Amino acid sequence: MMVETHMRKQVPLQWWFRMAVLLSLIFFGACSDSSESVSFRKGLKTVPPPSPAVNLNTHNLEQVVIDNGIVSLNLSNPGGYIIGLYYDGAKNILSQKNDEIDRGYLDVVWNETGKPPVFERIHGTSFSVIEANDTLVEVSFLKTWKASLEGSSVPINIDIRYILRSGDSGFYSYAIFTRPPGLPAVSVDQIRIVYKLDEDRFHYMAISDTRQRKMPTAEDRITGQVLDYPEAVLLTHATDPQIRGEVDDKYQYSSENKDNSVHGWITEDDSAPVGFWVITPSNEFRNAGPIKQDLTSHVGPISLSMFTSTHYAGKKVIIEFDKGEAYKKVFGPIFVYLNSFPIKTPFKSLWSDAVQQSSNEEKKWPYDFIGSKDFFPPNQRGTLSGRLQVKDGGGVAQPAKSSYIGLALPGAAGSWQTESKGYQFWTQTDKDGSFSITNIVPGNYNLYAWVPGFIGNYKYQINVIKPGDNINLGSLVFNPPRNGPTLWEIGIPDRSAAEFYVPDPYPKLVNRLYLNDSINGFRQYGLWRRYTDLYPKNDLIFAVGVSDYHKDWFFAQVTRCTGKSKFVATTWQIQFQLENIIKGANYTLQLALASATNSQLEVRFNKPKANPPYFSTELLIGDDNAIARHGIHGLYELYTVAVNSNQLVKGNNIIYLTQSLVKGQFEGVMYDYIRLESPPTTNKQT
């Protein structure tokens, strides 16, 4: 190990010169051929000089400094906050306008039973060096819970780790949560890492190939007009006239876990732009499965690494610890990646490079250089494979292609979407239904799946997977819920309301990023209000065989506004014809919801005022807030309703769907799919 007393070790000048020449050649070479994108990994085939050693400096008792000649990381001692992040010798990338504890940190939202939530930045109480040599430094900042902290600090021991390696243009970070037996009960709502960047430099944000733009400033939000909730602001006085008049809302930049592998910021106004990227190489430590939605980056400039949260899911995904319950889990590591380009023009290529770096990190997962014994390296993990088929209604089994299939803690079918304590491992089947789930942390699991185009959840009990296991389950068959042939259907069973009618936004309440984006149009602010515009007095009526659900089925059944802050329940109608009724038999209504918020859904057949309704959900279902947070789906729920034939008539029939709870404008449901099934065809028809 080399210990330095200065902040940064000087990198040989010829190394910088070689890099500048190489990057310039890459850029100008790319400009000569428009078909080839700028890449940091194409160009001259030269052998790089040896990477500078990693240096650990602990001479200042209040700070720990780790430097590899490319990146320097300044950490408070023993708190473990990131005070400074320096790249290529430039000034601090993090906001120096913020206090030292408010630049880079891990926080937890938690509460004791019956008490309000507590927002806590985790402050280490002891510092230690896990490993230190010329090629790698790993340090630990441990917060140890004591009885004297009850009520003021989450009763979990939290070890925050940082790793800097030789030659890496970035650092790794992870956290180990441990509850030894005997600690008090607690509920945990959210675990995340927060990075707050220099607002004078970072203005351009990127979270996908299509979702990237120059962003408003924090000051623009302060001077703007708050809309229906604090996160949504109309930028009435934005300093940039191209942004003025837009809506900014951090939830407009949410992503599903499966798509949330890299996001961050670029200093696009600099002569030599710099990129800051949060890379998540695995979803195994995130909560609630692959389609759980969460925050990414947003105005601040802020970038987040969300490990667990209640966003788009609600209280069902809170982690509940009983009194005395023991627990251990490793969250991360994630990789904070920094890159740059020597000239301003192609600054967007920093995004492409970050995507490539994300791919490289995924290939290296699980890492083999992590110092904690609680992180399972590749040789201590297992593999599970097999082939999933789907057999719908007694038909021929067919490959369950493009299905999501994965492992989570044991529970009921579909329980993975509300599971937050354990690890989850997901993949998609190929065209013949085959799958292979790799790098599984040893433990007790069930195998879960759902198949696009079919309703319901699949579950298979796996039990324990041990280190080194390579298990092949052979052929598995999913029999999705079905009681009879389909009479009619509305929508596509894909756990989303995206196929339904998503209206255009209000012209004065737009985010211009999504104006020409047909895929992400649902992310515009205020779309729930458009229902009242389209149906000011009478509610939606859908005629089976005549109406088109792409155009005639509003994406969410919300309340209708009848005046200032006045809202009423809505009742939608499904009208359909039956040529014959099978007497004395049960029809089946399959009612799949993609989201619900503070709702009660009532179903009536041909009698709009029947009391009680023929079917009703619980008094209150859902708190995923997907409608207000531009989510297009929250938690999936399937209701199978047996419909006695005496509820139906020959000829014209009407199903009335009422969302009966009304407190404001955000109550409502999103439908995934609705199907009416006839009784089994062996019954006599009349």
Side-chain angles (χ1 to χ4, degrees):
M1 177 184 72
M2 299 180 64
V3 179
E4 298 290 335
T5 58
H6 52 78
M7 284 285 294
R8 295 185 50 79
K9 183 182 179 191
Q10 294 297 316
V11 179
L13 180 62
Q14 62 268 29
W15 187 87
W16 292 111
F17 177 77
R18 187 191 68 80
M19 289 300 296
V21 171
L22 175 60
L23 292 175
S24 298
L25 287 173
I26 291 170
F27 169 65
F28 290 112
C31 289
S32 66
D33 183 0
S34 60
S35 65
E36 181 177 346
S37 62
V38 177
S39 171
F40 292 75
R41 296 169 178 83
K42 295 179 181 177
L44 296 178
K45 302 288 186 180
T46 58
V47 178
S51 297
V54 187
N55 306 303
L56 174 64
N57 185 337
T58 58
H59 291 179
N60 183 339
L61 297 180
E62 295 183 352
Q63 282 192 31
V64 174
V65 179
I66 318 171
D67 189 336
N68 69 354
I70 305 171
V71 173
S72 179
L73 193 60
N74 292 29
L75 306 164
S76 66
N77 188 4
Y81 302 109
I82 305 177
I83 299 172
L85 177 59
Y86 302 87
Y87 172 65
D88 265 3
K91 65 178 183 178
N92 197 348
I93 282 175
L94 301 180
S95 174
Q96 296 184 73
K97 297 178 182 179
N98 291 17
D99 292 338
E100 290 187 350
I101 65 169
D102 192 30
R103 299 175 185 175
Y105 54 88
L106 183 144
D107 66 33
V108 177
V109 178
W110 61 277
N111 70 282
E112 297 175 330
T113 303
K115 295 185 179 181
V118 176
F119 169 88
E120 180 183 0
R121 288 191 182 94
I122 301 304
H123 186 97
T125 55
S126 64
F127 164 73
S128 63
V129 178
I130 304 301
E131 184 174 357
N133 55 55
D134 286 353
T135 61
L136 181 149
V137 168
E138 178 172 349
V139 293
S140 162
F141 299 87
L142 175 64
K143 186 218 78 164
T144 303
W145 192 86
K146 300 178 181 179
S148 60
L149 297 174
E150 187 163 1
S152 64
S153 181
V154 60
I156 302 174
N157 296 337
I158 300 176
D159 188 356
I160 304 172
R161 301 281 186 95
Y162 299 95
I163 299 173
L164 187 61
R165 302 192 308 164
S166 176
D168 279 354
S169 186
F171 66 92
Y172 296 88
S173 182
Y174 67 107
I176 308 160
F177 279 50
T178 305
R179 274 178 57 92
L183 270 59
V186 69
S187 299
V188 176
D189 290 28
Q190 179 174 279
I191 304 168
R192 66 180 187 175
I193 298 178
V194 182
Y195 303 100
K196 298 182 177 180
L197 309 183
D198 183 351
E199 64 185 66
D200 294 329
R201 298 182 64 201
F202 289 92
H203 301 140
Y204 191 89
M205 187 183 79
I207 55 180
S208 77
D209 288 342
T210 59
R211 300 171 67 197
Q212 48 183 274
R213 60 167 297 174
K214 185 172 184 178
M215 293 290 286
T217 65
E219 183 67 22
D220 290 339
R221 286 183 55 86
I222 293 172
T223 60
Q225 174 190 342
V226 176
L227 298 172
D228 287 318
Y229 46 86
E231 293 87 351
V233 173
L234 181 62
L235 305 172
T236 53
H237 295 86
T239 53
D240 186 341
Q242 293 185 344
I243 293 175
R244 195 175 303 148
E246 289 194 55
V247 170
D248 178 72
D249 181 350
K250 65 182 181 181
Y251 292 109
Q252 293 179 321
Y253 303 106
S254 296
S255 289
E256 294 181 345
N257 283 344
K258 63 182 177 61
D259 302 320
N260 187 3
S261 58
V262 56
H263 59 88
W265 294 81
I266 300 173
T267 63
E268 95 285 12
D269 292 328
D270 287 4
S271 58
V274 171
F276 174 97
W277 310 104
V278 176
I279 292 176
T280 306
S282 170
N283 283 319
E284 67 183 44
F285 42 79
R286 285 171 165 164
N287 70 322
I291 60 173
K292 164 72 164 64
Q293 298 166 96
D294 228 320
L295 299 173
T296 57
S297 291
H298 59 82
V299 167
I302 293 172
S303 283
L304 304 172
S305 176
M306 304 296 301
F307 294 140
T308 71
S309 83
T310 59
H311 297 141
Y312 303 95
K315 296 177 181 178
K316 288 185 176 181
V317 299
I318 288 175
I319 307 176
E320 301 276 5
F321 293 110
D322 295 330
K323 182 178 180 179
E325 181 180 353
Y327 178 75
K328 183 167 287 186
K329 183 176 178 180
V330 177
F331 294 94
I334 61 167
F335 183 52
V336 171
Y337 178 58
L338 304 170
N339 59 5
S340 62
F341 208 86
I343 58 177
K344 177 179 178 179
T345 304
F347 72 90
K348 292 183 182 180
S349 63
L350 295 178
W351 163 255
S352 301
D353 178 61
V355 171
Q356 181 61 55
Q357 184 66 37
S358 177
S359 177
N360 293 343
E361 297 299 324
E362 290 172 8
K363 292 173 184 176
K364 291 188 290 186
W365 187 270
Y367 300 130
D368 59 4
F369 52 83
I370 306 303
S372 171
K373 61 180 176 55
D374 299 309
F375 181 82
F376 287 82
N379 62 0
Q380 294 182 27
R381 296 186 175 220
T383 299
L384 183 75
S385 59
R387 180 170 179 253
L388 182 65
Q389 296 178 289
V390 59
K391 189 175 182 181
D392 188 15
V396 177
Q398 58 182 295
K401 60 182 180 181
S402 302
S403 300
Y404 287 87
I405 189 163
L407 296 170
L409 289 183
S415 61
W416 54 268
Q417 68 173 343
T418 57
E419 199 285 302
S420 300
K421 276 187 179 179
Y423 298 97
Q424 295 199 20
F425 303 88
W426 288 87
T427 190
Q428 276 188 280
T429 59
D430 62 19
K431 62 182 179 180
D432 71 350
S434 296
F435 64 91
S436 178
I437 303 172
T438 59
N439 298 316
I440 305 164
V441 170
N444 194 11
Y445 300 98
N446 283 343
L447 180 70
Y448 301 96
W450 81 93
V451 183
F454 300 89
I455 60 175
N457 291 288
Y458 175 77
K459 182 184 104 170
Y460 181 88
Q461 188 168 330
I462 296 295
N463 294 324
V464 176
I465 292 181
K466 300 184 292 296
D469 272 353
N470 188 356
I471 301 170
N472 190 314
L473 298 176
S475 183
L476 306 172
V477 179
F478 171 42
N479 295 284
R482 178 178 289 278
N483 293 322
T486 299
L487 290 172
W488 51 259
E489 58 188 353
I490 300 172
I492 302 169
D494 60 359
R495 299 172 182 254
S496 165
E499 71 268 28
F500 298 125
Y501 179 67
V502 177
D504 291 334
Y506 289 103
K508 294 184 179 180
L509 293 173
V510 301
N511 183 322
R512 292 191 180 95
L513 177 63
Y514 301 123
L515 279 179
N516 299 309
D517 187 342
S518 59
I519 295 176
N520 290 290
F522 63 85
R523 300 186 188 277
Q524 294 283 12
Y525 173 83
L527 298 184
W528 56 87
R529 293 185 188 174
R530 297 306 307 270
Y531 180 78
T532 299
D533 299 336
L534 294 170
Y535 304 95
K537 295 182 178 180
N538 300 309
D539 284 322
L540 181 151
I541 298 174
F542 187 90
V544 173
V546 177
S547 302
D548 179 352
Y549 64 77
H550 296 291
K551 301 176 182 177
D552 303 319
W553 189 273
F554 199 74
F555 78 100
Q557 185 172 359
V558 292
T559 57
R560 184 168 63 250
C561 181
T562 59
K564 187 174 182 180
S565 300
K566 294 182 179 179
F567 302 89
V568 297
T570 55
T571 299
W572 290 9
Q573 298 181 33
I574 303 174
Q575 299 182 356
F576 61 98
Q577 298 288 320
L578 285 179
E579 295 183 2
N580 299 290
I581 302 297
I582 303 174
K583 298 295 186 181
N586 280 338
Y587 290 72
T588 302
L589 181 67
Q590 303 284 10
L591 194 61
L593 302 184
S595 167
T597 300
N598 299 330
S599 296
Q600 183 177 30
L601 187 60
E602 300 172 352
V603 182
R604 295 174 174 86
F605 295 87
N606 293 316
K607 298 175 182 178
K609 300 193 181 293
N611 191 19
Y614 185 81
F615 169 81
S616 177
T617 60
E618 310 94 89
L619 182 61
L620 183 69
I621 59 170
D623 63 343
D624 60 40
N625 286 328
I627 293 172
R629 291 176 172 173
H630 333 292
I632 211 60
H633 72 83
L635 293 183
Y636 176 82
E637 192 71 59
L638 175 65
Y639 297 95
T640 298
V641 183
V643 184
N644 192 288
S645 61
N646 63 16
Q647 296 293 309
L648 303 171
V649 298
K650 183 176 180 179
N652 189 52
N653 289 263
I654 302 176
I655 296 177
Y656 297 93
L657 301 174
T658 301
Q659 196 298 97
S660 59
L661 296 184
V662 180
K663 292 183 179 179
Q665 59 184 320
F666 299 127
E667 289 83 22
V669 299
M670 294 183 191
Y671 296 94
D672 168 43
Y673 174 75
I674 303 175
R675 181 172 77 211
L676 184 66
E677 300 169 0
S678 71
T681 54
T682 55
N683 290 329
K684 182 179 179 181
Q685 294 187 3
T686 60

